[in-house]
Every structure is written in C-alpha cells, then in structure tokens.
Amino acid sequence: MKYNKRTIPILCFILLFTSFLLDHPVEANSTGHEAAHVNNVIFMIPDGFSTSYATNYRIYKGSEESSLDPLLVGMMKTKSANNWVTDSAAAATAMATGYKTNNDMISISSDGKPLETILEATKKAGKVTGLVATSTVTHATPAAFAAHVSSRESKAEVALQMVEKVDVLLGGGKRNFLPQSSGGLQKDRNLIEELQHKGYSFIENRDELLKHQEYTSKLLGLFAAGPMSPELDRHVTEQPSLAEMTTAAITSLSQHPEGFFLMVEGSQIDWAGHAHDAAWAMKDIEAFEKAVEVVLDFAEKDQHTLVVVGGDHDTGGMSVGGYGAYLSKADVLRDVKATGKYMAEQLNSKRSNAKEVLKKYANIELTKEEAKRIKKAEAEELGYVINTITSERAYIGWTTKVHSGLDVPLYAYGPASDWFRGSIDNTDVPKLMAKAMNIPFLSSEGY
C-alpha cells in the first residue's frame, strides 16, 4: 500500500488517538451499563401515579414534555404476594426489601418474618438515610423503608422503630411521636424530645425550615399533627412544599462523605385518585415535579447520585378523555384553586351557595342539573360529586375508588440508571440500588 502526504498525518492521528483512549478509557455516561461509582441513591415515589396521570399532567401543564419524560427507562409490575392489585404497604415493601408480601403488611414477609430494607442496608454500610413525605411519615410508603409491622395501622410502633434508623425525617404526623398525655399516640414517650437529646434539630413550620441555615446531619421536621395539606390547600397553612423539604433533606444528608439513601414520596397523588379529584392530583404532580427538578439539579452536579422515580401502583383508574367524546381538556384544571373536599366544606347547610363556591374555587359555571346533583348528594359523597363535575369538564374519567393492577412507568437518571431499563418487577428496584452502591443486601442474590 502506498502512502501519500495526506494519508500519513491521518494515520498518525488515528494511532495517537487510539493510544490516548487506551490510556484514558471513557467513563460510561448516565445511561451506560458500565456505571460510574454511585455514592448516593435518591428514590422518588409519586404514590398512585401511572401513565394516565403522566399524560393528563402534560395536557394540564400545556407542554409536550414533563421533567420526568426524558428519564423514562421502562415499566414496573406491581402485584403483591396475595393479590394482583396491591396496596401501598405491600408495594412499598417490595420496593424497599426486594420481597413480595401481603397487602397491609409493612416489610414483613407473608409468613411473618422481618425483611431487611434498602434503607437499613444503606445504614449498615455507613451511609446516612432520609425519608420525606407529604403524608404522615409513619404512613405505609415511608414506613416500609424503616419499620417492620404486621399491619400498616400500627403507626405508633412505626414511629418507635424509625427513630433508630432515619437521620432526616420530614413530613406530617407529629402526634405519632408524642405521648398520649399530649394528644399523641405514644403510650408514655415523647420521641421528639428523645431525638433532640440525640442531636436532632427539630422544626415545625416552613419558616423554620427555610431559616434553618445550619442543617445538621440529623433533622426532624413534623409540619402537621396528621397528614400535611394537599398542595391545592397548602397556601392557607405554614407548611413547606415537597421541593423545599427535599432541598433541606439533600442539604443535610450530603454533608456525610460516605453518601446517603433518600426516599421522597409525593404521597397525595394517591389520595387525590381515591377522591377522584383530578385537580388535586395534577397540582400534587406539579409539586412532585418541582421536587424532581431539585433532585436532578443536585445529581447533575454531583455525578455520583443515582435517581430512581416510580409510582407504587395506579389509583382510581384515571382515563385520558371520556364521557363519550374524543376530547381532553385537562388544562382547565389549572383554574381550580381548592380540593373538592375543601369546596364541600364551604357549602352552607342547604347548599344554596354551590354556584358561588364552584365559580370562586373552580371557575365553573354550574348548570341547573349540576347544582341539583350537588344539592341531592349524600354528605359522604358530596366531595365525589363536586370532583366528578370537575372531571367531566376536563374529560377525565375514573374506573374505581381504589387501586388498579396496572404496570407503572419507571424513570431513572445518573450512573447505573440503565440497569432499570425494560419491564421489571418492583422487587428488582432495591436489589439494583444495592448493586449500584456496592453494598451488602439480603435480597440481592443473583444481582
């Protein structure tokens, strides 16, 4: 082969560049199987969220894409050990322990044995841990990462078990940590005072959270006696947003050089689905998306943080379009300023002010037929009737007041995110997280 003056420099460049690549191998990007070192894992759970919620949220937002869409990697199966339709306790147990259990059970096997959670394994490995939720922090999903009880209703026991394991705990449920003499659920212990003696900073409202400049690595924030308010109604409270709590949790946990595990739950998307309150659902997804953006900003800068986002199940069987028309108007929900429950509470005893209430809080001009439906509704169904009228205006239908057995979308970002691609079971999630962090985990055999 003859070499001319042009080919010799090109060949030299190729040889030099090949030599450089051999000496400096390219580190895998955020979607590569050969993942960079994972120091932190942030698991975000939009409770009750499925593909129909994702689609309606795009329409509501008026955008072709949400912050989650570019992170989509696959779908997740959700069945529990004893039912094709899971509850939150069994679903969270699967995502926390890598094992299926029966509905209602929290990180205990169907035959009654405690199951190690990914949070506990992370703690044993020398990392710090955090749980953030807009429900009570002892509710089914956060509970499954730090407690072991046969029934999700054992909230006082869940609180007792949490205080030994979780470094940052933010959400509602203050009464679960207080003694009965103070209106709480603990028999004779004030867990808040005990945690303060152990070095936890304790905060109770948004101002305290935002002004708390020196976040210690141990932080307890309980912003309501019970659950926090829905995002639609939060403006009349002194409670922080999910994004603000997430920021505080990351600020605290990231001080620890060995890394951290953080679970963040958008709890009330699920509750909105149970209530058929489409506006509440969209508003809480919006709040969750803002928390996702906080996490992605941190992960992008850190480069050693794996972010996984996935709902635990579908709630309500929401549809995109409905009521006999090829139509969707989820964007009209942006005019709704309160939950259906809140609007029901504003009605007078005869419900004669229904038109004024729906106009003020939902920008809906009630028809005579709609006003009659509200007037005739049973007291316990009043919120559903208001929410149905709102859903009809948005062409959003519902098939159930409980959960459905749908697979749910799974999203991931950062090193090892490619491991979550395809159709996986919810029990695979904690095993893959443990593998990414290279920590021992009782459920990780074969990974």
Side-chain angles (χ1 to χ4, degrees), residues 48 50 52-53 56 85 272-278 314-323 384 388 391 395-406:
S50 64
S52 57
Y53 285 78
N56 275 319
V85 180
H274 282 294
H276 292 183
D277 194 328
D314 167 76
T315 302
M318 175 191 281
S319 70
V320 181
Y323 305 104
Y384 279 110
T388 299
S391 292
Y395 291 91
I396 290 175
W398 304 89
T399 62
T400 178
K401 291 181 180 179
V402 290
H403 299 170
S404 80
L406 292 177

Side-chain angles (χ1 to χ4, degrees), residues 104-293:
D104 196 52
M105 301 179 80
I106 296 288
S107 292
I108 285 181
S109 66
S110 52
D111 58 357
K113 297 177 181 176
L115 301 168
E116 182 186 44
T117 75
I118 186 65
L119 182 145
E120 291 168 336
T122 306
K123 189 76 170 174
K124 286 180 184 177
K127 297 178 184 290
V128 289
T129 62
L131 295 173
V132 176
T134 53
S135 61
T136 62
V137 293
T138 56
H139 207 261
T141 302
F145 287 85
H148 309 270
V149 291
S150 58
S151 170
R152 58 186 290 176
E153 298 305 318
S154 303
K155 296 172 184 176
E157 177 59 28
V158 168
L160 280 170
Q161 294 186 32
M162 278 184 163
V163 298
E164 302 298 329
K165 302 168 188 172
V166 187
D167 299 286
V168 173
L169 196 55
L170 302 174
K174 182 180 176 182
R175 65 169 168 253
N176 299 319
F177 292 78
L178 293 172
Q180 293 174 359
S181 59
S182 299
L185 297 185
Q186 294 299 322
K187 187 174 181 180
D188 55 7
R189 295 174 65 178
N190 188 323
L191 300 183
I192 295 173
E193 288 184 358
E194 290 181 24
L195 287 171
Q196 287 178 298
H197 289 315
K198 292 180 179 180
Y200 282 76
S201 295
F202 175 58
I203 50 181
E204 298 183 78
N205 58 57
R206 181 174 183 265
D207 283 346
E208 289 179 355
L209 184 74
L210 298 182
K211 291 176 182 178
H212 197 74
Q213 299 298 320
E214 296 297 327
Y215 290 110
T216 63
S217 59
K218 292 187 179 295
L219 181 63
L220 176 66
L222 299 173
F223 305 105
M228 295 178 68
S229 294
E231 188 66 26
L232 269 173
D233 304 337
R234 187 91 41 95
H235 64 283
V236 298
T237 73
E238 297 180 346
Q239 301 171 8
S241 69
L242 185 62
E244 290 165 343
M245 291 191 291
T246 302
T247 299
I250 291 173
T251 302
S252 293
L253 296 171
S254 60
Q255 297 179 38
H256 191 71
E258 298 301 317
F260 64 84
F261 173 85
L262 171 64
M263 192 286 294
V264 176
E265 185 194 29
S267 317
Q268 300 195 27
I269 300 167
D270 170 68
W271 297 353
H274 282 294
H276 292 183
D277 194 328
W280 178 6
M282 294 302 108
K283 192 66 175 180
D284 265 78
I285 295 171
E286 182 180 70
F288 184 81
E289 182 183 40
K290 291 176 181 177
V292 169
E293 290 166 355

